[in-house]
PDB file of all heavy atoms in Angstrom:
ATOM      1  N   GLY W 221      10.797 -16.551   0.127  1.00  0.00           N
ATOM      2  CA  GLY W 221      11.931 -16.210  -0.665  1.00  0.00           C
ATOM      3  C   GLY W 221      13.275 -16.877  -0.447  1.00  0.00           C
ATOM      4  O   GLY W 221      13.269 -18.001   0.137  1.00  0.00           O
ATOM      5  N   ILE W 222      14.315 -16.215  -0.868  1.00  0.00           N
ATOM      6  CA  ILE W 222      15.747 -16.725  -0.692  1.00  0.00           C
ATOM      7  C   ILE W 222      16.648 -15.774  -0.205  1.00  0.00           C
ATOM      8  O   ILE W 222      16.548 -14.638  -0.505  1.00  0.00           O
ATOM      9  CB  ILE W 222      16.240 -17.174  -2.209  1.00  0.00           C
ATOM     10  CG1 ILE W 222      15.400 -18.188  -2.814  1.00  0.00           C
ATOM     11  CG2 ILE W 222      17.746 -17.688  -2.042  1.00  0.00           C
ATOM     12  CD1 ILE W 222      15.373 -19.561  -2.093  1.00  0.00           C
ATOM     13  N   LEU W 223      17.430 -16.152   0.781  1.00  0.00           N
ATOM     14  CA  LEU W 223      18.492 -15.429   1.372  1.00  0.00           C
ATOM     15  C   LEU W 223      19.873 -15.921   1.014  1.00  0.00           C
ATOM     16  O   LEU W 223      20.046 -17.050   1.259  1.00  0.00           O
ATOM     17  CB  LEU W 223      18.290 -15.241   2.872  1.00  0.00           C
ATOM     18  CG  LEU W 223      19.373 -14.434   3.716  1.00  0.00           C
ATOM     19  CD1 LEU W 223      19.370 -13.030   3.248  1.00  0.00           C
ATOM     20  CD2 LEU W 223      19.214 -14.775   5.131  1.00  0.00           C
ATOM     21  N   MET W 224      20.699 -15.081   0.442  1.00  0.00           N
ATOM     22  CA  MET W 224      22.098 -15.547   0.113  1.00  0.00           C
ATOM     23  C   MET W 224      23.110 -14.707   0.808  1.00  0.00           C
ATOM     24  O   MET W 224      22.938 -13.557   1.145  1.00  0.00           O
ATOM     25  CB  MET W 224      22.225 -15.375  -1.495  1.00  0.00           C
ATOM     26  CG  MET W 224      21.237 -16.236  -2.298  1.00  0.00           C
ATOM     27  SD  MET W 224      21.193 -15.700  -3.975  1.00  0.00           S
ATOM     28  CE  MET W 224      20.262 -14.337  -4.050  1.00  0.00           C
ATOM     29  N   ASP W 225      24.357 -15.312   0.977  1.00  0.00           N
ATOM     30  CA  ASP W 225      25.371 -14.668   1.599  1.00  0.00           C
ATOM     31  C   ASP W 225      26.752 -15.068   0.719  1.00  0.00           C
ATOM     32  O   ASP W 225      27.123 -16.212   0.854  1.00  0.00           O
ATOM     33  CB  ASP W 225      25.614 -15.078   3.023  1.00  0.00           C
ATOM     34  CG  ASP W 225      26.447 -14.207   3.885  1.00  0.00           C
ATOM     35  OD1 ASP W 225      27.188 -13.398   3.145  1.00  0.00           O
ATOM     36  OD2 ASP W 225      26.623 -14.424   5.014  1.00  0.00           O
ATOM     37  N   ARG W 226      27.200 -14.029   0.059  1.00  0.00           N
ATOM     38  CA  ARG W 226      28.409 -14.279  -0.699  1.00  0.00           C
ATOM     39  C   ARG W 226      29.616 -13.617  -0.114  1.00  0.00           C
ATOM     40  O   ARG W 226      30.703 -13.542  -0.677  1.00  0.00           O
ATOM     41  CB  ARG W 226      28.146 -13.580  -2.102  1.00  0.00           C
ATOM     42  CG  ARG W 226      26.991 -14.325  -2.932  1.00  0.00           C
ATOM     43  CD  ARG W 226      27.293 -15.807  -3.362  1.00  0.00           C
ATOM     44  NE  ARG W 226      26.255 -16.306  -4.050  1.00  0.00           N
ATOM     45  CZ  ARG W 226      25.371 -17.233  -3.524  1.00  0.00           C
ATOM     46  NH1 ARG W 226      25.448 -17.529  -2.276  1.00  0.00           N
ATOM     47  NH2 ARG W 226      24.513 -17.767  -4.250  1.00  0.00           N
ATOM     48  N   ASP W 227      29.441 -13.186   1.002  1.00  0.00           N
ATOM     49  CA  ASP W 227      30.617 -12.636   1.760  1.00  0.00           C
ATOM     50  C   ASP W 227      31.422 -13.648   2.388  1.00  0.00           C
ATOM     51  O   ASP W 227      31.054 -14.652   2.829  1.00  0.00           O
ATOM     52  CB  ASP W 227      30.080 -11.642   2.872  1.00  0.00           C
ATOM     53  CG  ASP W 227      31.080 -10.552   3.343  1.00  0.00           C
ATOM     54  OD1 ASP W 227      32.287 -10.875   3.269  1.00  0.00           O
ATOM     55  OD2 ASP W 227      30.672  -9.534   3.775  1.00  0.00           O
ATOM     56  N   SER W 228      32.688 -13.333   2.314  1.00  0.00           N
ATOM     57  CA  SER W 228      33.766 -14.257   3.103  1.00  0.00           C
ATOM     58  C   SER W 228      33.689 -14.345   4.519  1.00  0.00           C
ATOM     59  O   SER W 228      34.183 -15.213   5.208  1.00  0.00           O
ATOM     60  CB  SER W 228      35.090 -13.992   2.535  1.00  0.00           C
ATOM     61  OG  SER W 228      35.487 -12.609   2.850  1.00  0.00           O
ATOM     62  N   LEU W 229      33.187 -13.275   5.123  1.00  0.00           N
ATOM     63  CA  LEU W 229      33.158 -13.024   6.544  1.00  0.00           C
ATOM     64  C   LEU W 229      31.906 -13.846   7.029  1.00  0.00           C
ATOM     65  O   LEU W 229      30.838 -13.882   6.368  1.00  0.00           O
ATOM     66  CB  LEU W 229      32.897 -11.670   7.025  1.00  0.00           C
ATOM     67  CG  LEU W 229      34.149 -10.632   6.590  1.00  0.00           C
ATOM     68  CD1 LEU W 229      33.870  -9.149   7.017  1.00  0.00           C
ATOM     69  CD2 LEU W 229      35.453 -11.154   7.387  1.00  0.00           C
ATOM     70  N   PRO W 230      32.003 -14.560   8.105  1.00  0.00           N
ATOM     71  CA  PRO W 230      30.899 -15.524   8.694  1.00  0.00           C
ATOM     72  C   PRO W 230      29.731 -14.635   8.941  1.00  0.00           C
ATOM     73  O   PRO W 230      29.818 -13.617   9.760  1.00  0.00           O
ATOM     74  CB  PRO W 230      31.634 -16.235   9.829  1.00  0.00           C
ATOM     75  CG  PRO W 230      32.593 -15.381  10.206  1.00  0.00           C
ATOM     76  CD  PRO W 230      33.240 -14.615   9.074  1.00  0.00           C
ATOM     77  N   GLY W 231      28.608 -15.191   8.697  1.00  0.00           N
ATOM     78  CA  GLY W 231      27.214 -14.487   9.201  1.00  0.00           C
ATOM     79  C   GLY W 231      26.378 -15.704   9.787  1.00  0.00           C
ATOM     80  O   GLY W 231      26.808 -16.793   9.983  1.00  0.00           O
ATOM     81  N   ILE W 232      25.060 -15.337   9.894  1.00  0.00           N
ATOM     82  CA  ILE W 232      24.150 -16.173  10.465  1.00  0.00           C
ATOM     83  C   ILE W 232      24.010 -17.473   9.588  1.00  0.00           C
ATOM     84  O   ILE W 232      23.932 -18.663  10.149  1.00  0.00           O
ATOM     85  CB  ILE W 232      22.787 -15.608  10.835  1.00  0.00           C
ATOM     86  CG1 ILE W 232      21.920 -16.587  11.515  1.00  0.00           C
ATOM     87  CG2 ILE W 232      22.191 -15.178   9.474  1.00  0.00           C
ATOM     88  CD1 ILE W 232      20.697 -16.007  11.940  1.00  0.00           C
ATOM     89  N   LEU W 233      24.185 -17.412   8.324  1.00  0.00           N
ATOM     90  CA  LEU W 233      23.948 -18.621   7.492  1.00  0.00           C
ATOM     91  C   LEU W 233      25.144 -19.559   7.556  1.00  0.00           C
ATOM     92  O   LEU W 233      24.952 -20.751   7.440  1.00  0.00           O
ATOM     93  CB  LEU W 233      23.821 -18.207   6.036  1.00  0.00           C
ATOM     94  CG  LEU W 233      22.504 -17.318   5.650  1.00  0.00           C
ATOM     95  CD1 LEU W 233      22.378 -17.165   4.056  1.00  0.00           C
ATOM     96  CD2 LEU W 233      21.238 -17.957   6.186  1.00  0.00           C
ATOM     97  N   SER W 234      26.271 -19.021   7.908  1.00  0.00           N
ATOM     98  CA  SER W 234      27.529 -19.909   8.062  1.00  0.00           C
ATOM     99  C   SER W 234      27.332 -20.761   9.235  1.00  0.00           C
ATOM    100  O   SER W 234      27.931 -21.938   9.300  1.00  0.00           O
ATOM    101  CB  SER W 234      28.777 -19.059   8.149  1.00  0.00           C
ATOM    102  OG  SER W 234      28.778 -18.322   9.346  1.00  0.00           O
ATOM    103  N   VAL W 235      26.551 -20.412  10.331  1.00  0.00           N
ATOM    104  CA  VAL W 235      26.340 -21.280  11.366  1.00  0.00           C
ATOM    105  C   VAL W 235      25.617 -22.487  11.054  1.00  0.00           C
ATOM    106  O   VAL W 235      25.932 -23.592  11.712  1.00  0.00           O
ATOM    107  CB  VAL W 235      25.648 -20.375  12.539  1.00  0.00           C
ATOM    108  CG1 VAL W 235      25.353 -21.252  13.659  1.00  0.00           C
ATOM    109  CG2 VAL W 235      26.460 -19.243  13.073  1.00  0.00           C
ATOM    110  N   PHE W 236      24.796 -22.553  10.125  1.00  0.00           N
ATOM    111  CA  PHE W 236      23.923 -23.635   9.757  1.00  0.00           C
ATOM    112  C   PHE W 236      24.484 -24.418   8.541  1.00  0.00           C
ATOM    113  O   PHE W 236      23.611 -25.232   8.065  1.00  0.00           O
ATOM    114  CB  PHE W 236      22.471 -23.153   9.598  1.00  0.00           C
ATOM    115  CG  PHE W 236      21.905 -22.362  10.740  1.00  0.00           C
ATOM    116  CD1 PHE W 236      21.768 -21.010  10.752  1.00  0.00           C
ATOM    117  CD2 PHE W 236      21.477 -23.227  11.879  1.00  0.00           C
ATOM    118  CE1 PHE W 236      21.306 -20.475  11.822  1.00  0.00           C
ATOM    119  CE2 PHE W 236      21.059 -22.550  13.044  1.00  0.00           C
ATOM    120  CZ  PHE W 236      20.828 -21.136  12.880  1.00  0.00           C
ATOM    121  N   GLU W 237      25.556 -24.113   8.108  1.00  0.00           N
ATOM    122  CA  GLU W 237      26.163 -24.713   6.929  1.00  0.00           C
ATOM    123  C   GLU W 237      26.233 -26.260   7.134  1.00  0.00           C
ATOM    124  O   GLU W 237      26.861 -26.667   8.154  1.00  0.00           O
ATOM    125  CB  GLU W 237      27.585 -24.174   6.581  1.00  0.00           C
ATOM    126  CG  GLU W 237      28.149 -24.743   5.258  1.00  0.00           C
ATOM    127  CD  GLU W 237      29.451 -24.128   4.882  1.00  0.00           C
ATOM    128  OE1 GLU W 237      29.828 -23.094   5.581  1.00  0.00           O
ATOM    129  OE2 GLU W 237      30.092 -24.551   3.896  1.00  0.00           O
ATOM    130  N   GLY W 238      25.699 -27.061   6.275  1.00  0.00           N
ATOM    131  CA  GLY W 238      25.637 -28.476   6.389  1.00  0.00           C
ATOM    132  C   GLY W 238      24.688 -29.113   7.339  1.00  0.00           C
ATOM    133  O   GLY W 238      24.431 -30.309   7.400  1.00  0.00           O
ATOM    134  N   LEU W 239      24.005 -28.299   8.087  1.00  0.00           N
ATOM    135  CA  LEU W 239      22.926 -28.670   9.017  1.00  0.00           C
ATOM    136  C   LEU W 239      21.613 -28.814   8.375  1.00  0.00           C
ATOM    137  O   LEU W 239      21.149 -27.967   7.509  1.00  0.00           O
ATOM    138  CB  LEU W 239      22.886 -27.785  10.253  1.00  0.00           C
ATOM    139  CG  LEU W 239      24.186 -27.802  11.120  1.00  0.00           C
ATOM    140  CD1 LEU W 239      24.158 -26.729  12.126  1.00  0.00           C
ATOM    141  CD2 LEU W 239      24.349 -29.109  11.812  1.00  0.00           C
ATOM    142  N   VAL W 240      20.760 -29.711   8.730  1.00  0.00           N
ATOM    143  CA  VAL W 240      19.441 -29.836   8.160  1.00  0.00           C
ATOM    144  C   VAL W 240      18.458 -29.487   9.232  1.00  0.00           C
ATOM    145  O   VAL W 240      18.440 -29.761  10.380  1.00  0.00           O
ATOM    146  CB  VAL W 240      19.116 -31.510   7.916  1.00  0.00           C
ATOM    147  CG1 VAL W 240      17.828 -31.692   7.399  1.00  0.00           C
ATOM    148  CG2 VAL W 240      20.263 -31.953   6.985  1.00  0.00           C
ATOM    149  N   PRO W 241      17.524 -28.625   8.678  1.00  0.00           N
ATOM    150  CA  PRO W 241      16.443 -27.990   9.610  1.00  0.00           C
ATOM    151  C   PRO W 241      15.672 -29.049  10.221  1.00  0.00           C
ATOM    152  O   PRO W 241      15.360 -30.029   9.624  1.00  0.00           O
ATOM    153  CB  PRO W 241      15.645 -27.172   8.681  1.00  0.00           C
ATOM    154  CG  PRO W 241      16.430 -26.738   7.539  1.00  0.00           C
ATOM    155  CD  PRO W 241      17.401 -27.957   7.295  1.00  0.00           C
ATOM    156  N   GLN W 242      15.387 -28.986  11.458  1.00  0.00           N
ATOM    157  CA  GLN W 242      14.674 -29.908  12.252  1.00  0.00           C
ATOM    158  C   GLN W 242      13.184 -29.374  12.593  1.00  0.00           C
ATOM    159  O   GLN W 242      12.964 -28.220  12.449  1.00  0.00           O
ATOM    160  CB  GLN W 242      15.402 -30.399  13.536  1.00  0.00           C
ATOM    161  CG  GLN W 242      16.668 -30.901  13.357  1.00  0.00           C
ATOM    162  CD  GLN W 242      16.575 -32.119  12.433  1.00  0.00           C
ATOM    163  OE1 GLN W 242      16.158 -33.230  12.851  1.00  0.00           O
ATOM    164  NE2 GLN W 242      17.282 -32.269  11.198  1.00  0.00           N
ATOM    165  N   LYS W 243      12.365 -30.337  13.151  1.00  0.00           N
ATOM    166  CA  LYS W 243      10.961 -29.790  13.380  1.00  0.00           C
ATOM    167  C   LYS W 243      10.936 -28.753  14.604  1.00  0.00           C
ATOM    168  O   LYS W 243      11.682 -28.809  15.460  1.00  0.00           O
ATOM    169  CB  LYS W 243      10.232 -30.983  13.967  1.00  0.00           C
ATOM    170  CG  LYS W 243       8.716 -30.650  14.139  1.00  0.00           C
ATOM    171  CD  LYS W 243       7.975 -31.909  14.592  1.00  0.00           C
ATOM    172  CE  LYS W 243       6.427 -31.755  14.897  1.00  0.00           C
ATOM    173  NZ  LYS W 243       5.767 -32.751  15.407  1.00  0.00           N
ATOM    174  N   ASN W 244      10.070 -27.670  14.317  1.00  0.00           N
ATOM    175  CA  ASN W 244       9.899 -26.690  15.368  1.00  0.00           C
ATOM    176  C   ASN W 244       8.788 -26.994  16.349  1.00  0.00           C
ATOM    177  O   ASN W 244       7.657 -27.230  15.998  1.00  0.00           O
ATOM    178  CB  ASN W 244       9.565 -25.419  14.691  1.00  0.00           C
ATOM    179  CG  ASN W 244      10.484 -24.929  13.666  1.00  0.00           C
ATOM    180  OD1 ASN W 244      11.768 -24.853  13.902  1.00  0.00           O
ATOM    181  ND2 ASN W 244      10.072 -24.495  12.393  1.00  0.00           N
ATOM    182  N   ASP W 245       9.251 -27.149  17.576  1.00  0.00           N
ATOM    183  CA  ASP W 245       8.240 -27.707  18.600  1.00  0.00           C
ATOM    184  C   ASP W 245       8.214 -26.715  19.854  1.00  0.00           C
ATOM    185  O   ASP W 245       7.408 -26.903  20.722  1.00  0.00           O
ATOM    186  CB  ASP W 245       8.552 -29.076  19.144  1.00  0.00           C
ATOM    187  CG  ASP W 245       7.877 -30.124  18.370  1.00  0.00           C
ATOM    188  OD1 ASP W 245       6.896 -29.774  17.692  1.00  0.00           O
ATOM    189  OD2 ASP W 245       8.206 -31.281  18.442  1.00  0.00           O
ATOM    190  N   ILE W 246       9.111 -25.690  19.926  1.00  0.00           N
ATOM    191  CA  ILE W 246       9.146 -24.884  21.138  1.00  0.00           C
ATOM    192  C   ILE W 246       7.926 -24.156  21.376  1.00  0.00           C
ATOM    193  O   ILE W 246       7.725 -23.665  22.443  1.00  0.00           O
ATOM    194  CB  ILE W 246      10.505 -24.043  20.986  1.00  0.00           C
ATOM    195  CG1 ILE W 246      11.739 -24.828  21.458  1.00  0.00           C
ATOM    196  CG2 ILE W 246      10.338 -22.780  21.806  1.00  0.00           C
ATOM    197  CD1 ILE W 246      13.032 -24.145  21.416  1.00  0.00           C
ATOM    198  N   ALA W 247       7.154 -23.970  20.358  1.00  0.00           N
ATOM    199  CA  ALA W 247       5.823 -23.149  20.543  1.00  0.00           C
ATOM    200  C   ALA W 247       5.053 -23.750  21.737  1.00  0.00           C
ATOM    201  O   ALA W 247       4.212 -23.073  22.366  1.00  0.00           O
ATOM    202  CB  ALA W 247       5.074 -23.094  19.284  1.00  0.00           C
ATOM    203  N   LYS W 248       5.344 -25.044  22.031  1.00  0.00           N
ATOM    204  CA  LYS W 248       4.545 -25.734  23.000  1.00  0.00           C
ATOM    205  C   LYS W 248       4.886 -25.166  24.496  1.00  0.00           C
ATOM    206  O   LYS W 248       4.152 -25.335  25.418  1.00  0.00           O
ATOM    207  CB  LYS W 248       4.866 -27.245  23.039  1.00  0.00           C
ATOM    208  CG  LYS W 248       4.388 -27.993  21.887  1.00  0.00           C
ATOM    209  CD  LYS W 248       4.817 -29.440  21.838  1.00  0.00           C
ATOM    210  CE  LYS W 248       4.352 -30.173  20.696  1.00  0.00           C
ATOM    211  NZ  LYS W 248       4.718 -31.580  20.588  1.00  0.00           N
ATOM    212  N   VAL W 249       5.943 -24.554  24.568  1.00  0.00           N
ATOM    213  CA  VAL W 249       6.358 -24.032  25.941  1.00  0.00           C
ATOM    214  C   VAL W 249       6.693 -22.537  25.896  1.00  0.00           C
ATOM    215  O   VAL W 249       7.220 -22.039  26.866  1.00  0.00           O
ATOM    216  CB  VAL W 249       7.610 -24.849  26.444  1.00  0.00           C
ATOM    217  CG1 VAL W 249       7.307 -26.274  26.688  1.00  0.00           C
ATOM    218  CG2 VAL W 249       8.780 -24.700  25.382  1.00  0.00           C
ATOM    219  N   ILE W 250       6.353 -21.893  24.924  1.00  0.00           N
ATOM    220  CA  ILE W 250       6.587 -20.365  24.843  1.00  0.00           C
ATOM    221  C   ILE W 250       5.340 -19.678  25.617  1.00  0.00           C
ATOM    222  O   ILE W 250       4.160 -19.706  24.999  1.00  0.00           O
ATOM    223  CB  ILE W 250       6.715 -19.895  23.377  1.00  0.00           C
ATOM    224  CG1 ILE W 250       7.934 -20.456  22.755  1.00  0.00           C
ATOM    225  CG2 ILE W 250       6.736 -18.309  23.436  1.00  0.00           C
ATOM    226  CD1 ILE W 250       8.110 -20.085  21.333  1.00  0.00           C
ATOM    227  N   PRO W 251       5.424 -19.025  26.687  1.00  0.00           N
ATOM    228  CA  PRO W 251       4.352 -18.330  27.360  1.00  0.00           C
ATOM    229  C   PRO W 251       3.817 -17.161  26.376  1.00  0.00           C
ATOM    230  O   PRO W 251       4.612 -16.523  25.700  1.00  0.00           O
ATOM    231  CB  PRO W 251       4.884 -17.733  28.558  1.00  0.00           C
ATOM    232  CG  PRO W 251       6.213 -18.519  28.895  1.00  0.00           C
ATOM    233  CD  PRO W 251       6.693 -18.851  27.386  1.00  0.00           C
ATOM    234  N   LEU W 252       2.502 -16.916  26.454  1.00  0.00           N
ATOM    235  CA  LEU W 252       1.919 -15.884  25.636  1.00  0.00           C
ATOM    236  C   LEU W 252       2.487 -14.504  26.071  1.00  0.00           C
ATOM    237  O   LEU W 252       2.371 -13.633  25.307  1.00  0.00           O
ATOM    238  CB  LEU W 252       0.454 -15.974  25.814  1.00  0.00           C
ATOM    239  CG  LEU W 252      -0.271 -17.196  25.015  1.00  0.00           C
ATOM    240  CD1 LEU W 252      -1.717 -17.161  25.240  1.00  0.00           C
ATOM    241  CD2 LEU W 252       0.010 -17.106  23.582  1.00  0.00           C
ATOM    242  N   GLN W 253       2.893 -14.437  27.234  1.00  0.00           N
ATOM    243  CA  GLN W 253       3.297 -13.037  27.681  1.00  0.00           C
ATOM    244  C   GLN W 253       4.803 -12.760  27.198  1.00  0.00           C
ATOM    245  O   GLN W 253       5.298 -11.668  27.508  1.00  0.00           O
ATOM    246  CB  GLN W 253       3.349 -12.934  29.263  1.00  0.00           C
ATOM    247  CG  GLN W 253       4.303 -13.803  29.975  1.00  0.00           C
ATOM    248  CD  GLN W 253       3.581 -15.116  30.399  1.00  0.00           C
ATOM    249  OE1 GLN W 253       2.605 -15.605  29.762  1.00  0.00           O
ATOM    250  NE2 GLN W 253       3.973 -15.719  31.619  1.00  0.00           N
TER     251      GLN W 253
END
Side-chain angles (χ1 to χ4, degrees):
I222 299 295
L223 175 64
M224 297 169 282
D225 191 354
R226 299 290 181 256
D227 200 331
S228 58
L229 296 175
I232 187 171
L233 296 190
S234 66
V235 172
F236 301 104
E237 186 175 352
L239 295 171
V240 179
Q242 302 297 296
K243 186 180 179 184
N244 301 315
D245 268 344
I246 279 185
K248 295 178 180 178
V249 295
I250 297 175
L252 289 178
Q253 65 265 30

